[in-house]
Amino acid sequence: DAGVIQSPRHEVTEMGQEVTLRCKPISGHNSLFWYRQTMMRGLELLIYFNNNVPIDDSGMPEDRFSAKMPNASFSTLKIQPSEPRDSAVYFCASSPGTPQPQHFGDGTRLSIL
Amino acid sequence: GNSVTQMEGPVTLSEEAFLTINCTYTATGYPSLFWYVQYPGEGLQLLLKATKADDKGSNKGFEATYRKETTSFHLEKGSVQVSDSAVYFCALRDSGAGSYQLTFGKGTKLSVIP
C-alpha cells in the first residue's frame, strides 16, 4: 500500500522565493497534519485538517505560511516569501479520523539560502 | 507547559536482548501517550498508544504502560531483532477538547546488531 507521499523530497531556494510543498495522504484517511522539524524545536504541528477542513492552525508561524486541502487526496503548504529561518524538514501525516497522526510521509528537506 | 523526556541514545543491543527505552512526561490534566517509530529513510509511524492511566499499549511485540504515579510510559520489548533498528519517539497529547498538538521527545536511536 502507498504511504503518505510528499514532494519534493528536497528543495533549495533563495530567500524571498515562494515555496510549495505537496502531500498526498493515505487513501481513506480523512485527517491530515503538517509538521515542521528542526534541531532546536523538534517536531511541531503546523496545521490539522479533518475532512478537508482546517481544524487547528494555531501552529502556523505567521502569515507567510498558508495551507490548503482542496480535496481528500491532496494538500499543499505554501511559504511566501520564504526566509532562511524557514529551513527545516516538513512532514505531512495522515490518520483515519483520529486526532493524532498515524503515518508520516518521508518529509521535504527545505533549505532557504 | 507539556514536555516529554526520553533517555538519550544511541542504544546498541545484540539480537534477542531485552529493550527498555525510558520516557517520562510533564503535563496538565490527563494526556494521551504515544510511541512512534521511524525506520531508516522513512517517515514516523504510530507504534502504540495509551489514553488513560494503567492502560497498556502493544504492537509488534512492543509494550508500554501508562503510569500516572510515576508520569512514565517506558517502551519495552522482550527480544529485539535487527529489523527493530530505528529511532523511537515518545509523545503526548493533552486530553482537553481541541487539543491536537503532539509534544514529542527528542527520539532515541536503537541499533540492533546480529
Side-chain angles (χ1 to χ4, degrees), chain B residues 32-96:
Chain B
S32 295
L33 302 173
F34 308 88
W35 277 101
Y36 284 83
V37 58
Q38 185 176 25
Y39 297 105
E42 300 181 11
L44 281 75
Q45 54 184 279
L46 180 63
L47 179 61
L48 55 83
K49 68 178 182 181
T51 57
K52 61 183 188 296
D54 300 325
D55 267 2
K56 178 185 285 188
S58 61
N59 186 23
K60 300 182 180 180
F62 290 89
E63 293 182 340
T65 301
Y66 189 141
R67 301 286 189 200
K68 185 173 180 293
E69 64 275 14
T70 55
T71 61
S72 65
F73 193 54
H74 304 321
L75 183 68
E76 297 181 335
K77 186 174 185 182
S79 176
V80 293
Q81 306 299 312
V82 173
S83 58
D84 294 325
S85 298
V87 181
Y88 293 83
F89 294 87
C90 185
L92 71 81
R93 180 171 60 83
D94 272 337
S95 56

Short mmCIF file of all heavy atoms in Angstrom, two decimals, chain B residues 32-96:
data_model
loop_
_atom_site.label_atom_id
_atom_site.label_comp_id
_atom_site.label_asym_id
_atom_site.label_seq_id
_atom_site.Cartn_x
_atom_site.Cartn_y
_atom_site.Cartn_z
N SER B 32 -3.00 11.79 26.60
CA SER B 32 -2.82 10.53 25.91
C SER B 32 -1.34 10.40 25.56
O SER B 32 -0.68 11.39 25.28
CB SER B 32 -3.67 10.49 24.63
OG SER B 32 -5.03 10.51 24.92
N LEU B 33 -0.85 9.17 25.57
CA LEU B 33 0.58 8.93 25.36
C LEU B 33 0.81 8.01 24.17
O LEU B 33 0.00 7.10 23.92
CB LEU B 33 1.20 8.31 26.62
CG LEU B 33 1.04 9.13 27.90
CD1 LEU B 33 1.54 8.34 29.10
CD2 LEU B 33 1.81 10.45 27.78
N PHE B 34 1.90 8.26 23.46
CA PHE B 34 2.15 7.55 22.21
C PHE B 34 3.64 7.20 22.08
O PHE B 34 4.50 7.91 22.61
CB PHE B 34 1.78 8.44 21.00
CG PHE B 34 0.40 9.02 21.06
CD1 PHE B 34 0.18 10.24 21.69
CD2 PHE B 34 -0.67 8.36 20.49
CE1 PHE B 34 -1.09 10.79 21.77
CE2 PHE B 34 -1.94 8.91 20.57
CZ PHE B 34 -2.15 10.12 21.20
N TRP B 35 3.90 6.14 21.35
CA TRP B 35 5.23 5.85 20.84
C TRP B 35 5.15 5.79 19.32
O TRP B 35 4.28 5.11 18.77
CB TRP B 35 5.78 4.53 21.37
CG TRP B 35 6.39 4.64 22.73
CD1 TRP B 35 5.85 4.30 23.93
CD2 TRP B 35 7.71 5.13 23.02
NE1 TRP B 35 6.74 4.56 24.95
CE2 TRP B 35 7.89 5.07 24.42
CE3 TRP B 35 8.76 5.62 22.23
CZ2 TRP B 35 9.07 5.46 25.06
CZ3 TRP B 35 9.93 6.01 22.86
CH2 TRP B 35 10.07 5.94 24.25
N TYR B 36 6.08 6.51 18.69
CA TYR B 36 6.23 6.47 17.24
C TYR B 36 7.60 5.86 16.91
O TYR B 36 8.55 6.01 17.67
CB TYR B 36 6.16 7.88 16.64
CG TYR B 36 4.78 8.46 16.57
CD1 TYR B 36 4.21 9.09 17.68
CD2 TYR B 36 4.02 8.40 15.40
CE1 TYR B 36 2.94 9.62 17.62
CE2 TYR B 36 2.74 8.93 15.33
CZ TYR B 36 2.21 9.54 16.45
OH TYR B 36 0.94 10.07 16.38
N VAL B 37 7.68 5.23 15.74
CA VAL B 37 8.93 4.65 15.28
C VAL B 37 9.26 5.19 13.89
O VAL B 37 8.36 5.37 13.06
CB VAL B 37 8.87 3.10 15.27
CG1 VAL B 37 7.74 2.59 14.39
CG2 VAL B 37 10.20 2.51 14.83
N GLN B 38 10.52 5.49 13.69
CA GLN B 38 10.98 5.97 12.38
C GLN B 38 12.09 5.06 11.90
O GLN B 38 13.22 5.10 12.42
CB GLN B 38 11.47 7.41 12.47
CG GLN B 38 11.85 8.01 11.13
CD GLN B 38 12.23 9.48 11.24
OE1 GLN B 38 12.65 9.95 12.29
NE2 GLN B 38 12.07 10.21 10.14
N TYR B 39 11.78 4.21 10.92
CA TYR B 39 12.79 3.34 10.34
C TYR B 39 13.67 4.13 9.38
O TYR B 39 13.25 5.17 8.85
CB TYR B 39 12.12 2.17 9.61
CG TYR B 39 11.32 1.28 10.53
CD1 TYR B 39 9.93 1.34 10.54
CD2 TYR B 39 11.95 0.41 11.42
CE1 TYR B 39 9.19 0.54 11.40
CE2 TYR B 39 11.22 -0.38 12.28
CZ TYR B 39 9.84 -0.31 12.27
OH TYR B 39 9.12 -1.09 13.13
N PRO B 40 14.88 3.69 9.16
CA PRO B 40 15.82 4.45 8.31
C PRO B 40 15.22 4.81 6.96
O PRO B 40 14.68 3.96 6.26
CB PRO B 40 17.00 3.48 8.16
CG PRO B 40 16.95 2.63 9.39
CD PRO B 40 15.50 2.46 9.71
N GLY B 41 15.30 6.08 6.62
CA GLY B 41 14.82 6.55 5.32
C GLY B 41 13.32 6.69 5.20
O GLY B 41 12.81 6.98 4.11
N GLU B 42 12.58 6.49 6.29
CA GLU B 42 11.12 6.56 6.23
C GLU B 42 10.58 7.63 7.18
O GLU B 42 11.30 8.14 8.04
CB GLU B 42 10.50 5.21 6.58
CG GLU B 42 10.92 4.09 5.64
CD GLU B 42 10.25 2.77 6.02
OE1 GLU B 42 9.33 2.77 6.86
OE2 GLU B 42 10.66 1.74 5.45
N GLY B 43 9.29 7.91 7.05
CA GLY B 43 8.64 8.81 7.99
C GLY B 43 8.24 8.09 9.27
O GLY B 43 8.29 6.86 9.35
N LEU B 44 7.85 8.86 10.26
CA LEU B 44 7.40 8.27 11.52
C LEU B 44 6.10 7.50 11.30
O LEU B 44 5.31 7.82 10.42
CB LEU B 44 7.12 9.36 12.57
CG LEU B 44 8.28 9.99 13.30
CD1 LEU B 44 9.03 10.96 12.42
CD2 LEU B 44 7.78 10.69 14.57
N GLN B 45 5.89 6.51 12.13
CA GLN B 45 4.59 5.85 12.13
C GLN B 45 4.23 5.50 13.57
O GLN B 45 5.09 5.23 14.40
CB GLN B 45 4.58 4.60 11.24
CG GLN B 45 5.64 3.58 11.52
CD GLN B 45 5.59 2.45 10.51
OE1 GLN B 45 4.78 1.54 10.63
NE2 GLN B 45 6.45 2.49 9.51
N LEU B 46 2.93 5.55 13.84
CA LEU B 46 2.45 5.28 15.18
C LEU B 46 2.69 3.82 15.53
O LEU B 46 2.28 2.91 14.78
CB LEU B 46 0.96 5.61 15.27
CG LEU B 46 0.29 5.39 16.62
CD1 LEU B 46 0.90 6.31 17.68
CD2 LEU B 46 -1.22 5.66 16.51
N LEU B 47 3.34 3.58 16.66
CA LEU B 47 3.65 2.21 17.09
C LEU B 47 2.60 1.72 18.08
O LEU B 47 2.06 0.62 17.94
CB LEU B 47 5.03 2.16 17.72
CG LEU B 47 5.52 0.82 18.26
CD1 LEU B 47 5.59 -0.22 17.14
CD2 LEU B 47 6.88 0.98 18.93
N LEU B 48 2.31 2.52 19.10
CA LEU B 48 1.30 2.15 20.08
C LEU B 48 0.86 3.38 20.85
O LEU B 48 1.52 4.42 20.80
CB LEU B 48 1.82 1.05 21.02
CG LEU B 48 3.12 1.29 21.77
CD1 LEU B 48 2.90 2.10 23.03
CD2 LEU B 48 3.79 -0.03 22.13
N LYS B 49 -0.25 3.24 21.57
CA LYS B 49 -0.75 4.37 22.33
C LYS B 49 -1.50 3.89 23.57
O LYS B 49 -1.89 2.71 23.67
CB LYS B 49 -1.69 5.22 21.47
CG LYS B 49 -2.99 4.53 21.10
CD LYS B 49 -3.88 5.47 20.29
CE LYS B 49 -5.21 4.79 19.97
NZ LYS B 49 -6.10 5.68 19.17
N ALA B 50 -1.68 4.81 24.52
CA ALA B 50 -2.48 4.56 25.71
C ALA B 50 -3.16 5.87 26.07
O ALA B 50 -2.54 6.93 26.03
CB ALA B 50 -1.62 4.05 26.86
N THR B 51 -4.42 5.78 26.42
CA THR B 51 -5.18 7.01 26.63
C THR B 51 -5.54 7.28 28.09
O THR B 51 -6.01 8.38 28.40
CB THR B 51 -6.47 6.99 25.80
OG1 THR B 51 -7.22 5.83 26.15
CG2 THR B 51 -6.16 6.95 24.31
N LYS B 52 -5.33 6.32 28.98
CA LYS B 52 -5.61 6.60 30.38
C LYS B 52 -4.70 5.77 31.27
O LYS B 52 -4.08 4.79 30.83
CB LYS B 52 -7.07 6.34 30.71
CG LYS B 52 -7.55 4.92 30.52
CD LYS B 52 -9.04 4.83 30.81
CE LYS B 52 -9.54 3.39 30.82
NZ LYS B 52 -9.41 2.74 29.52
N ALA B 53 -4.66 6.15 32.52
CA ALA B 53 -3.76 5.52 33.49
C ALA B 53 -3.98 4.02 33.54
O ALA B 53 -5.12 3.53 33.49
CB ALA B 53 -3.96 6.14 34.86
N ASP B 54 -2.86 3.30 33.61
CA ASP B 54 -2.80 1.84 33.69
C ASP B 54 -3.11 1.13 32.38
O ASP B 54 -3.03 -0.10 32.32
CB ASP B 54 -3.70 1.29 34.80
CG ASP B 54 -3.31 1.83 36.17
OD1 ASP B 54 -2.10 2.02 36.41
OD2 ASP B 54 -4.21 2.09 36.98
N ASP B 55 -3.46 1.88 31.34
CA ASP B 55 -3.62 1.27 30.02
C ASP B 55 -2.27 0.75 29.54
O ASP B 55 -1.23 1.37 29.76
CB ASP B 55 -4.12 2.30 29.00
CG ASP B 55 -5.63 2.31 28.88
OD1 ASP B 55 -6.29 1.55 29.60
OD2 ASP B 55 -6.13 3.09 28.05
N LYS B 56 -2.29 -0.36 28.83
CA LYS B 56 -1.09 -0.88 28.20
C LYS B 56 -1.30 -0.87 26.70
O LYS B 56 -2.25 -1.47 26.19
CB LYS B 56 -0.78 -2.30 28.67
CG LYS B 56 0.46 -2.91 27.99
CD LYS B 56 0.67 -4.36 28.39
CE LYS B 56 1.22 -4.48 29.77
NZ LYS B 56 1.61 -5.87 30.11
N GLY B 57 -0.41 -0.17 25.99
CA GLY B 57 -0.42 -0.21 24.55
C GLY B 57 0.55 -1.28 24.08
O GLY B 57 1.59 -1.49 24.70
N SER B 58 0.20 -1.97 22.99
CA SER B 58 1.10 -3.01 22.49
C SER B 58 0.97 -3.14 20.99
O SER B 58 -0.11 -2.93 20.42
CB SER B 58 0.82 -4.35 23.17
OG SER B 58 -0.50 -4.77 22.89
N ASN B 59 2.08 -3.50 20.35
CA ASN B 59 2.10 -3.68 18.90
C ASN B 59 3.45 -4.24 18.51
O ASN B 59 4.49 -3.79 19.02
CB ASN B 59 1.86 -2.35 18.19
CG ASN B 59 1.72 -2.50 16.69
OD1 ASN B 59 1.37 -3.56 16.18
ND2 ASN B 59 1.96 -1.42 15.96
N LYS B 60 3.47 -5.20 17.62
CA LYS B 60 4.71 -5.78 17.08
C LYS B 60 5.66 -6.25 18.17
O LYS B 60 6.88 -6.20 18.00
CB LYS B 60 5.43 -4.75 16.19
CG LYS B 60 4.62 -4.27 15.00
CD LYS B 60 5.43 -3.29 14.16
CE LYS B 60 4.62 -2.82 12.96
NZ LYS B 60 5.38 -1.87 12.11
N GLY B 61 5.13 -6.71 19.30
CA GLY B 61 5.97 -7.20 20.38
C GLY B 61 6.42 -6.13 21.35
O GLY B 61 7.02 -6.42 22.38
N PHE B 62 6.15 -4.87 21.02
CA PHE B 62 6.47 -3.76 21.91
C PHE B 62 5.30 -3.50 22.85
O PHE B 62 4.14 -3.67 22.48
CB PHE B 62 6.75 -2.48 21.10
CG PHE B 62 8.02 -2.51 20.31
CD1 PHE B 62 8.02 -3.02 19.02
CD2 PHE B 62 9.20 -2.04 20.84
CE1 PHE B 62 9.20 -3.06 18.27
CE2 PHE B 62 10.38 -2.06 20.10
CZ PHE B 62 10.37 -2.57 18.82
N GLU B 63 5.63 -3.06 24.07
CA GLU B 63 4.61 -2.71 25.05
C GLU B 63 5.02 -1.45 25.80
O GLU B 63 6.22 -1.19 25.97
CB GLU B 63 4.44 -3.83 26.09
CG GLU B 63 3.87 -5.12 25.58
CD GLU B 63 3.70 -6.13 26.71
OE1 GLU B 63 4.35 -5.97 27.75
OE2 GLU B 63 2.92 -7.07 26.52
N ALA B 64 4.01 -0.72 26.26
CA ALA B 64 4.26 0.42 27.15
C ALA B 64 3.04 0.60 28.02
O ALA B 64 1.91 0.52 27.53
CB ALA B 64 4.57 1.69 26.36
N THR B 65 3.26 0.85 29.31
CA THR B 65 2.16 1.02 30.26
C THR B 65 2.13 2.44 30.76
O THR B 65 3.15 2.99 31.18
CB THR B 65 2.30 0.04 31.43
OG1 THR B 65 2.31 -1.30 30.93
CG2 THR B 65 1.14 0.20 32.40
N TYR B 66 0.96 3.04 30.73
CA TYR B 66 0.73 4.43 31.18
C TYR B 66 0.75 4.42 32.70
O TYR B 66 -0.18 3.91 33.35
CB TYR B 66 -0.63 4.86 30.66
CG TYR B 66 -1.03 6.30 30.80
CD1 TYR B 66 -1.73 6.92 29.78
CD2 TYR B 66 -0.78 7.04 31.95
CE1 TYR B 66 -2.17 8.24 29.89
CE2 TYR B 66 -1.19 8.35 32.06
CZ TYR B 66 -1.89 8.94 31.04
OH TYR B 66 -2.32 10.24 31.15
N ARG B 67 1.80 4.97 33.29
CA ARG B 67 1.96 5.03 34.75
C ARG B 67 1.79 6.46 35.22
O ARG B 67 2.69 7.28 35.09
CB ARG B 67 3.34 4.51 35.17
CG ARG B 67 3.64 3.09 34.74
CD ARG B 67 2.89 2.09 35.55
NE ARG B 67 3.34 0.71 35.28
CZ ARG B 67 2.62 -0.36 35.55
NH1 ARG B 67 1.42 -0.23 36.08
NH2 ARG B 67 3.11 -1.57 35.28
N LYS B 68 0.61 6.75 35.75
CA LYS B 68 0.33 8.13 36.18
C LYS B 68 1.13 8.48 37.42
O LYS B 68 1.60 9.62 37.57
CB LYS B 68 -1.17 8.28 36.43
CG LYS B 68 -1.62 9.69 36.78
CD LYS B 68 -3.12 9.77 36.83
CE LYS B 68 -3.59 11.18 37.18
NZ LYS B 68 -3.21 11.54 38.56
N GLU B 69 1.34 7.50 38.31
CA GLU B 69 2.02 7.81 39.57
C GLU B 69 3.48 8.19 39.36
O GLU B 69 4.05 8.96 40.13
CB GLU B 69 1.89 6.64 40.54
CG GLU B 69 2.56 5.36 40.08
CD GLU B 69 1.70 4.50 39.17
OE1 GLU B 69 0.68 5.00 38.66
OE2 GLU B 69 2.08 3.33 38.95
N THR B 70 4.08 7.65 38.31
CA THR B 70 5.47 7.98 38.01
C THR B 70 5.60 8.82 36.75
O THR B 70 6.72 9.10 36.31
CB THR B 70 6.31 6.69 37.83
OG1 THR B 70 5.69 5.88 36.82
CG2 THR B 70 6.41 5.92 39.13
N THR B 71 4.49 9.26 36.20
CA THR B 71 4.43 10.02 34.93
C THR B 71 5.38 9.42 33.91
O THR B 71 6.26 10.10 33.35
CB THR B 71 4.71 11.51 35.14
OG1 THR B 71 6.02 11.70 35.69
CG2 THR B 71 3.67 12.13 36.04
N SER B 72 5.20 8.12 33.66
CA SER B 72 6.11 7.43 32.74
C SER B 72 5.35 6.59 31.73
O SER B 72 4.18 6.23 31.95
CB SER B 72 7.09 6.55 33.52
OG SER B 72 6.39 5.52 34.18
N PHE B 73 6.03 6.28 30.63
CA PHE B 73 5.45 5.47 29.56
C PHE B 73 6.63 4.78 28.87
O PHE B 73 6.91 4.99 27.71
CB PHE B 73 4.68 6.37 28.60
CG PHE B 73 3.78 5.64 27.62
CD1 PHE B 73 2.82 4.74 28.06
CD2 PHE B 73 3.87 5.90 26.26
CE1 PHE B 73 1.98 4.10 27.16
CE2 PHE B 73 3.03 5.25 25.35
CZ PHE B 73 2.08 4.35 25.81
N HIS B 74 7.29 3.92 29.59
CA HIS B 74 8.50 3.28 29.09
C HIS B 74 8.18 2.22 28.04
O HIS B 74 7.25 1.42 28.21
CB HIS B 74 9.27 2.60 30.24
CG HIS B 74 9.61 3.53 31.37
ND1 HIS B 74 10.02 4.84 31.18
CD2 HIS B 74 9.61 3.33 32.71
CE1 HIS B 74 10.27 5.40 32.33
NE2 HIS B 74 10.03 4.51 33.30
N LEU B 75 8.97 2.19 26.99
CA LEU B 75 8.78 1.22 25.91
C LEU B 75 9.64 -0.01 26.17
O LEU B 75 10.83 0.12 26.50
CB LEU B 75 9.19 1.85 24.57
CG LEU B 75 8.99 0.99 23.31
CD1 LEU B 75 7.50 0.79 23.05
CD2 LEU B 75 9.67 1.64 22.11
N GLU B 76 9.04 -1.19 26.01
CA GLU B 76 9.75 -2.44 26.26
C GLU B 76 9.49 -3.45 25.15
O GLU B 76 8.42 -3.46 24.54
CB GLU B 76 9.32 -3.05 27.60
CG GLU B 76 9.63 -2.20 28.81
CD GLU B 76 9.22 -2.85 30.11
OE1 GLU B 76 8.31 -3.70 30.09
OE2 GLU B 76 9.81 -2.52 31.15
N LYS B 77 10.51 -4.28 24.94
CA LYS B 77 10.34 -5.44 24.05
C LYS B 77 11.23 -6.55 24.58
O LYS B 77 12.40 -6.31 24.91
CB LYS B 77 10.71 -5.11 22.61
CG LYS B 77 10.39 -6.27 21.65
CD LYS B 77 10.62 -5.93 20.20
CE LYS B 77 10.16 -7.09 19.30
NZ LYS B 77 10.39 -6.86 17.86
N GLY B 78 10.68 -7.74 24.63
CA GLY B 78 11.39 -8.84 25.27
C GLY B 78 12.58 -9.35 24.48
O GLY B 78 13.57 -9.80 25.07
N SER B 79 12.53 -9.28 23.15
CA SER B 79 13.58 -9.87 22.33
C SER B 79 13.66 -9.07 21.03
O SER B 79 12.82 -9.24 20.14
CB SER B 79 13.27 -11.34 22.05
OG SER B 79 14.23 -11.90 21.17
N VAL B 80 14.67 -8.21 20.95
CA VAL B 80 14.73 -7.33 19.78
C VAL B 80 15.36 -8.05 18.58
O VAL B 80 16.14 -9.00 18.74
CB VAL B 80 15.52 -6.04 20.09
CG1 VAL B 80 14.77 -5.18 21.09
CG2 VAL B 80 16.94 -6.35 20.57
N GLN B 81 15.02 -7.57 17.41
CA GLN B 81 15.55 -8.09 16.16
C GLN B 81 16.29 -6.97 15.42
O GLN B 81 16.05 -5.78 15.69
CB GLN B 81 14.42 -8.63 15.28
CG GLN B 81 13.55 -9.66 15.96
CD GLN B 81 14.33 -10.88 16.39
OE1 GLN B 81 15.11 -11.44 15.61
NE2 GLN B 81 14.14 -11.30 17.64
N VAL B 82 17.12 -7.37 14.47
CA VAL B 82 17.85 -6.38 13.69
C VAL B 82 16.88 -5.41 13.02
O VAL B 82 17.15 -4.21 12.91
CB VAL B 82 18.75 -7.07 12.65
CG1 VAL B 82 19.37 -6.05 11.71
CG2 VAL B 82 19.84 -7.88 13.34
N SER B 83 15.72 -5.92 12.61
CA SER B 83 14.71 -5.09 11.93
C SER B 83 14.07 -4.05 12.84
O SER B 83 13.34 -3.18 12.35
CB SER B 83 13.63 -5.98 11.33
OG SER B 83 13.02 -6.76 12.34
N ASP B 84 14.34 -4.12 14.15
CA ASP B 84 13.82 -3.11 15.07
C ASP B 84 14.72 -1.87 15.13
O ASP B 84 14.38 -0.90 15.81
CB ASP B 84 13.69 -3.69 16.49
CG ASP B 84 12.65 -4.78 16.58
OD1 ASP B 84 11.63 -4.68 15.87
OD2 ASP B 84 12.86 -5.74 17.36
N SER B 85 15.83 -1.91 14.45
CA SER B 85 16.73 -0.75 14.42
C SER B 85 16.00 0.45 13.82
O SER B 85 15.52 0.39 12.68
CB SER B 85 17.98 -1.06 13.60
OG SER B 85 18.70 -2.13 14.16
N ALA B 86 15.91 1.51 14.59
CA ALA B 86 15.11 2.67 14.19
C ALA B 86 15.27 3.75 15.25
O ALA B 86 15.97 3.56 16.24
CB ALA B 86 13.63 2.29 14.07
N VAL B 87 14.60 4.88 15.03
CA VAL B 87 14.53 5.92 16.06
C VAL B 87 13.13 5.88 16.65
O VAL B 87 12.14 5.84 15.91
CB VAL B 87 14.83 7.32 15.48
CG1 VAL B 87 14.77 8.37 16.58
CG2 VAL B 87 16.21 7.33 14.81
N TYR B 88 13.04 5.90 17.97
CA TYR B 88 11.77 5.80 18.67
C TYR B 88 11.47 7.12 19.37
O TYR B 88 12.31 7.67 20.08
CB TYR B 88 11.82 4.64 19.67
CG TYR B 88 11.90 3.30 18.98
CD1 TYR B 88 13.13 2.81 18.54
CD2 TYR B 88 10.76 2.55 18.73
CE1 TYR B 88 13.21 1.60 17.88
CE2 TYR B 88 10.84 1.33 18.07
CZ TYR B 88 12.07 0.86 17.64
OH TYR B 88 12.14 -0.35 16.98
N PHE B 89 10.25 7.62 19.16
CA PHE B 89 9.82 8.89 19.73
C PHE B 89 8.65 8.67 20.67
O PHE B 89 7.64 8.05 20.29
CB PHE B 89 9.36 9.87 18.63
CG PHE B 89 10.44 10.33 17.70
CD1 PHE B 89 10.77 9.60 16.57
CD2 PHE B 89 11.12 11.51 17.95
CE1 PHE B 89 11.77 10.03 15.70
CE2 PHE B 89 12.11 11.96 17.07
CZ PHE B 89 12.44 11.21 15.96
N CYS B 90 8.76 9.21 21.87
CA CYS B 90 7.65 9.23 22.82
C CYS B 90 6.92 10.55 22.63
O CYS B 90 7.56 11.59 22.33
CB CYS B 90 8.20 9.11 24.23
SG CYS B 90 6.97 8.97 25.53
N ALA B 91 5.59 10.56 22.78
CA ALA B 91 4.84 11.80 22.57
C ALA B 91 3.60 11.81 23.44
O ALA B 91 3.12 10.75 23.88
CB ALA B 91 4.44 11.93 21.09
N LEU B 92 3.08 13.01 23.71
CA LEU B 92 1.84 13.13 24.45
C LEU B 92 0.93 14.15 23.79
O LEU B 92 1.37 15.04 23.09
CB LEU B 92 2.11 13.50 25.91
CG LEU B 92 2.60 14.91 26.28
CD1 LEU B 92 1.48 15.93 26.34
CD2 LEU B 92 3.29 14.85 27.66
N ARG B 93 -0.36 13.99 24.07
CA ARG B 93 -1.35 14.98 23.61
C ARG B 93 -2.29 15.26 24.77
O ARG B 93 -2.78 14.35 25.41
CB ARG B 93 -2.14 14.44 22.41
CG ARG B 93 -3.19 15.40 21.88
CD ARG B 93 -3.77 14.90 20.56
NE ARG B 93 -4.41 13.61 20.70
CZ ARG B 93 -5.66 13.42 21.13
NH1 ARG B 93 -6.39 14.46 21.49
NH2 ARG B 93 -6.16 12.21 21.21
N ASP B 94 -2.54 16.56 25.01
CA ASP B 94 -3.47 16.96 26.06
C ASP B 94 -4.84 16.33 25.83
O ASP B 94 -5.26 16.11 24.70
CB ASP B 94 -3.65 18.49 26.07
CG ASP B 94 -2.62 19.16 26.95
OD1 ASP B 94 -2.08 18.49 27.87
OD2 ASP B 94 -2.35 20.34 26.74
N SER B 95 -5.53 16.10 26.92
CA SER B 95 -6.84 15.48 26.83
C SER B 95 -7.96 16.48 26.60
O SER B 95 -9.08 16.10 26.33
CB SER B 95 -7.14 14.69 28.11
OG SER B 95 -7.04 15.53 29.23
N GLY B 96 -7.66 17.77 26.69
CA GLY B 96 -8.70 18.77 26.55
C GLY B 96 -9.27 18.84 25.15
O GLY B 96 -8.62 18.47 24.18
#
